[in-house]
């Protein structure tokens, strides 16, 4: 089945530690995205990538980093510089261009808790 | 003021009821409108997709867009307990997902 796999599902981190969230897709989508979801707020875009080896900051990129070395993979690192990292993180993908390019397919999410 | 406003609920209805979920927005450039359904501890999944104004129906679900009022709605007929989820509206001025703006979601519970 085609889809997006995020891991781990739950993650606990001590303050000052970096953590990396994995996102893998087998949909052959060119574009991939990372969103953060907090209670009472809409999804907020952290980073996105439209092509391998290229990525752009979203609306709340501070304290996060990404890489896009393969089309299928778009890992997100939450660094110690992120002031309030406890959140639900969602990875998504879409086709690039044409009808439906603004339709996202989401993974199941990763919940990060900072202790 | 947020660009997209959505009543967070929670909303509880009895099984079989007609449910109306709504979003208002301020950006008149929005042309593409979507509804996503998100079950607890899962990622959102696309439910309805409409372009510009008008209605779109898919089974028990109807999406309605009124651009003159900057108001979109999702109606669920004959609601089922399996419809219990959070419903997110999303909208964009273009065909690019990069420009999507999401509402904060409405939590719906359908009681058997």
């Amino acid at each position: 089945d085609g889809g997006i796999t995020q891991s781990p599902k739950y993650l606990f981190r001590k303050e000052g530690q970096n953590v990396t969230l994995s996102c893998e897709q087998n949909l052959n989508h060119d574009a991939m995205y990372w969103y953060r979801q907090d209670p009472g707020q809409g999804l907020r875009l952290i980073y996105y990538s439209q092509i391998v080896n290229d990525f752009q900051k979203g609306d709340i990129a501070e304290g996060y980093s990404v890489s896009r070395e393969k089309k299928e993979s778009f890992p997100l690192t939450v660094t110690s510089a992120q002031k309030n990292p406890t959140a639900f993180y969602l990875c998504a993908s879409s086709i690039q261009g044409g009808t439906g390019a603004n339709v996202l397919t989401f993974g199941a999410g990763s919940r990060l808790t900072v202790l | 003021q947020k660009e997209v406003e959505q009543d967070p609920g929670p909303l509880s209805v009895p099984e079989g009821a007609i449910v109306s979920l709504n979003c208002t927005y301020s950006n008149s450039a929005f042309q593409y409108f979507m509804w996503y359904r998100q079950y607890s501890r899962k990622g959102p999944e696309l439910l309805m997709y409409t372009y510009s104004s008008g209605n779109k129906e898919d089974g028990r679900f109807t999406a309605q867009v009124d651009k003159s009022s900057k108001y979109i709605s999702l109606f669920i007929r004959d609601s089922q307990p399996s419809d219990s989820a959070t419903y997110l509206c999303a909208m964009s001025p273009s065909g690019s997902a990069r420009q999507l703006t999401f509402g904060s979601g409405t939590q719906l519970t359908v009681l058997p």
Side-chain angles (χ1 to χ4, degrees):
Chain A
D1 285 339
I4 298 180
T5 301
Q6 288 188 241
S7 63
K9 195 169 178 62
Y10 298 97
L11 185 60
F12 298 88
R13 182 194 101 172
K14 292 182 180 179
E15 281 191 22
Q17 290 181 334
N18 293 354
V19 294
T20 297
L21 308 180
S22 170
C23 177
E24 303 277 333
Q25 57 103 353
N26 61 4
L27 298 165
N28 200 33
H29 285 171
D30 286 307
M32 296 186 74
Y33 311 81
W34 275 104
Y35 286 90
R36 171 180 171 139
Q37 187 174 32
D38 295 283
Q41 296 197 47
L43 272 64
R44 293 183 289 168
L45 183 63
I46 304 172
Y47 267 98
Y48 67 101
S49 168
Q50 295 176 301
I51 197 168
V52 173
N53 292 323
D54 186 54
F55 48 83
Q56 307 294 328
K57 291 182 179 180
D59 302 315
I60 56 165
E62 186 175 348
Y64 300 97
S65 66
V66 293
S67 63
R68 187 88 187 274
E69 296 176 3
K70 298 187 300 181
K71 184 175 181 177
E72 302 79 18
S73 179
F74 192 40
L76 173 75
T77 297
V78 184
T79 76
S80 56
Q82 168 49 233
K83 300 263 187 289
N84 186 19
T86 294
F88 189 52
Y89 291 89
L90 287 160
C91 180
S93 69
S94 71
I95 62 172
Q96 180 75 337
T99 302
N102 55 5
V103 175
L104 295 170
T105 300
F106 286 92
S110 293
R111 183 166 298 280
L112 171 63
T113 302
V114 174
L115 305 172
Chain B
Q1 185 186 1
K2 291 181 183 178
E3 215 171 8
V4 177
E5 298 275 3
Q6 187 173 5
D7 186 339
L11 180 63
S12 289
V13 300
E15 184 174 353
I18 296 174
V19 176
S20 171
L21 304 168
N22 311 295
C23 287
T24 58
Y25 62 94
S26 57
N27 187 349
S28 58
F30 287 144
Q31 298 267 33
Y32 298 85
F33 303 91
M34 288 148 242
W35 286 94
Y36 283 84
R37 178 175 60 196
Q38 185 176 22
Y39 290 115
S40 182
R41 292 184 290 276
K42 300 288 186 187
E45 56 181 339
L46 182 70
L47 200 56
M48 298 288 281
Y49 178 99
T50 54
Y51 171 72
S52 196
S53 286
N55 293 1
K56 184 174 182 178
E57 189 173 319
D58 184 1
R60 297 184 294 110
F61 299 90
T62 299
Q64 200 170 75
V65 175
D66 183 350
K67 291 185 69 180
S68 60
S69 302
K70 298 191 180 68
Y71 188 89
I72 69 170
S73 301
L74 177 70
F75 297 97
I76 307 175
R77 290 184 300 282
D78 187 24
S79 56
Q80 303 295 309
S82 59
D83 295 327
S84 298
T86 296
Y87 290 80
L88 307 168
C89 64
M91 44 198 83
S92 170
S94 73
S96 169
R98 161 67 184 97
Q99 295 182 297
L100 276 170
T101 301
F102 285 84
S104 56
T106 299
Q107 185 180 343
L108 170 68
T109 300
V110 180
L111 303 168

